[in-house]
Amino acid sequence: MVGGGLRDALLGRPVADLDVAVAGSAADAAGALARAYGAGRFRLSARFGAWRVHGGALPCAVDLTPLQGGSLYSDLDRRDLTVNALALPAGAPDGSTIVDRHGGMADLTAGRLRLVRPSALRDDPVRLLRLPRIAAELGFAVDEEAAARARADAGELARAAGERLMEELRRMVALPAPWRAVELMDELGVLTALVPELAGARGLEQSPYHHKDVLGHTLEVVRHACELADDPEPVFRSLAPRVAQTLAEPLGDGLDRRGALVLGALLHDMAKPDTHAVTAEGRVTFWHHDRLGEEQARQWSLRMRTSARLRDHLALLVRHHLTLGFLVHRTPLSLRQIDRYLGATAPAAVDVMVLSCADRLATRGPRTSEHAIRRHLVLAREVMAVHFQLADRGPLRPLVDGATLALALGTPPGPWLARALAALREEQLVGAVRSEAAAIRFAQGWLAAQADVQGLRDGVRGA
């Protein structure tokens, strides 16, 4: 028995899965283990000959891999951290027979992470993410030599496969306090290697409404997003259980919506370095960093090989993290305005609102008033309440279907029809249209207005 499962068992922590190094065929060992415990098995990696056995009477999943390097010593010498380079013979009654070639037991006692060898991170750059993740997970300190190697080798992260990086990020954002791992990534020089768009954010000053530079602000937003996701009550009060329940829903790529929120917080201002400008009056601006950020978030997700669903979700978070703040200046909002906001941010309205609040809480410069912060949080709570009210009501049943509407208006179906039905839905929602006849009359006026607008545009182009 080797690796993180053994490490956690020695620390008295829950063991999610156990790694076993096999002198021989891992497939044969997996078959024997599966039969003995009435469990299932499947191949984890054809390249490394690894198999997983799970279910049945097993208390946790067991991953079996042939010894790397031909012997147990060679296998342990190839590992990343000394606390992961321990071995216990299968069937040993206690820890008295633990194989410890690199001082891992002493490091466990000291709460310290050291590298097995100086090249450990460079040999597998994914370990550059694993180091801060394990440090945050265990509450261990990173040894100074390991930290120096991480800073020196951070650029190697670009060589790692996006899928493997996402697997480490998935485990990182699932931690109880993932912001600690994100901050440690920054301390180790790994954060800007993972998100190169943030490289220019360090030291990039903002307006007097901010108290930190762009990178410092980003790290603070990540922390507030984590804290709000875990305890929404301070902002959303009686709605907190529903907010928490929503963020706990599975999203994709092994992430729940809370985990995706952490990634969205990390990426939300990634385009600020590329949109930074200073006006003639000396005012710092980042015009349209939300729009450019949306595209950059998509490109980052492509590099990480995420699913299309997660890619779209992150892009939506980045694109609309400012929108609620703009609406603060238009309060009180009508149901029509709130519905349009919810439609623009669907299906991530809850997530976007939580991110918006985290962003607002992390913006406390000398020009920021507590009153402005309270107005933002009050509006978020009001809009969140409407969101859940509409969700409980369920989808509106249309007063007229598309085919009937096109026939009544004498206009062939086309792109206009979807827009007309959307406009009709809004009128029905606010109670302005209550019957099929009224819906058709509204659609007639709406279609005529669209023609007038198009005619005006054509006239302007002609002139």
Side-chain angles (χ1 to χ4, degrees):
M1 293 178 284
V2 295
L6 176 58
R7 175 201 69 213
D8 289 344
L10 291 170
L11 289 172
R13 293 168 50 86
V15 177
D17 51 65
L18 190 64
D19 295 321
V20 177
V22 179
S25 169
D28 292 345
L33 186 64
R35 288 190 296 272
Y37 285 87
R41 63 170 177 154
F42 63 91
R43 177 177 285 179
L44 269 180
S45 168
R47 177 183 175 189
F48 294 104
W51 285 76
R52 169 164 290 188
V53 183
H54 64 106
L58 285 171
C60 66
V62 179
D63 294 341
L64 302 102
T65 307
L67 287 170
Q68 303 300 302
S71 71
L72 177 61
Y73 284 178
S74 296
D75 185 283
L76 297 179
D77 291 347
R78 293 176 177 220
R79 294 182 178 268
D80 50 2
L81 303 170
T82 61
V83 296
N84 291 339
L86 303 169
L88 177 66
D94 53 39
S96 60
T97 53
I98 283 184
V99 179
D100 180 10
R101 287 170 52 81
H102 303 284
M105 291 298 292
D107 289 332
L108 279 181
T109 301
R112 176 178 58 222
L113 296 184
R114 288 191 305 115
L115 299 178
V116 169
R117 62 192 181 284
S119 65
L121 301 177
R122 189 170 61 253
D123 292 343
D124 183 0
V126 175
R127 293 169 173 171
L128 287 159
L129 292 189
R130 192 173 302 149
L131 177 62
R133 192 261 297 171
I134 292 176
E137 183 176 1
L138 301 181
F140 278 21
V142 177
D143 171 73
E144 279 301 321
E145 183 178 349
R149 289 308 324 166
R151 296 184 188 104
D153 294 337
E156 298 293 320
L157 201 68
R159 294 195 293 110
E163 299 93 331
R164 296 187 64 214
L165 294 177
M166 273 305 302
E167 174 59 23
E168 277 301 321
L169 285 175
R170 181 190 66 77
R171 299 181 69 173
M172 185 181 294
V173 299
L175 295 175
W179 58 270
R180 298 182 190 276
V182 174
E183 290 184 354
L184 187 53
M185 276 200 296
D186 181 47
E187 293 174 18
L188 297 176
V190 178
L191 181 59
T192 54
L194 177 69
V195 188
E197 293 84 353
L198 289 175
R202 191 183 309 280
L204 186 59
E205 294 187 4
Q206 306 196 76
S207 72
Y209 292 99
H210 291 78
H211 62 294
K212 292 190 174 182
D213 65 9
V214 174
L215 186 57
H217 168 75
T218 296
L219 295 176
E220 194 163 326
V221 172
V222 170
R223 180 170 182 169
H224 280 296
C226 295
E227 292 173 347
L228 276 178
D230 294 337
D231 182 14
E233 197 277 336
V235 171
F236 297 105
R237 298 184 182 174
S238 63
L239 301 171
R242 296 198 66 174
V243 173
Q245 181 182 22
T246 300
L247 294 179
E249 294 173 356
L251 179 69
D253 297 40
L255 291 173
D256 58 15
R257 290 169 69 159
R258 172 189 178 272
L261 173 66
V262 178
L263 294 180
L266 179 62
L267 303 178
H268 83 285
D269 275 349
M270 65 191 305
K272 275 191 171 179
D274 288 335
T275 55
H276 174 260
V278 181
T279 68
E281 299 79 19
R283 186 165 65 94
V284 176
T285 66
F286 301 98
W287 290 111
H288 305 310
H289 74 273
D290 50 342
R291 298 180 186 178
L292 179 60
E294 176 186 11
E295 179 56 34
Q296 289 185 347
R298 290 187 180 279
Q299 292 302 317
W300 182 86
S301 299
L302 286 171
R303 295 199 301 270
M304 294 298 106
R305 305 287 187 179
T306 72
S307 65
R309 184 180 184 187
L310 179 57
R311 183 165 64 248
D312 291 343
H313 188 88
L314 293 176
L316 195 61
L317 291 177
V318 175
R319 176 66 179 88
H320 287 289
H321 75 273
L322 296 175
T323 309
L324 189 67
F326 294 149
L327 293 176
V328 171
H329 306 291
R330 301 180 187 178
T331 54
L333 300 183
S334 66
L335 177 57
R336 192 187 301 273
Q337 288 172 304
I338 293 175
D339 182 63
R340 288 178 180 176
Y341 171 79
L342 295 175
T345 57
V350 171
D351 321 62
V352 172
M353 280 185 273
V354 174
L355 175 57
S356 176
C357 291
D359 194 17
R360 174 75 270 191
L361 289 169
T363 306
R364 295 180 178 273
R367 294 280 298 275
T368 300
S369 69
E370 289 299 318
H371 175 67
I373 295 175
R374 283 196 302 272
R375 286 182 64 196
H376 189 113
L377 302 184
V378 167
L379 179 60
R381 187 160 56 247
E382 292 173 350
V383 175
M384 189 73 76
V386 174
H387 166 73
F388 286 127
Q389 289 167 7
L390 295 178
D392 291 342
R393 183 190 301 183
L396 286 176
R397 183 178 180 181
L399 295 170
V400 61
D401 60 58
T404 301
L405 187 63
L407 184 63
L409 270 57
T411 305
W416 69 271
L417 187 55
R419 298 195 300 272
L421 290 172
L424 262 175
R425 178 204 161 277
E426 183 178 288
E427 296 302 305
Q428 184 180 349
L429 176 69
V430 301
V433 171
R434 300 175 183 273
S435 67
E436 180 177 326
I440 292 174
R441 286 195 300 273
F442 170 81
Q444 289 171 334
W446 179 89
L447 190 60
Q450 302 304 303
D452 289 344
V453 169
Q454 187 59 49
L456 178 61
R457 289 173 178 168
D458 291 343
V460 170
R461 282 197 292 268

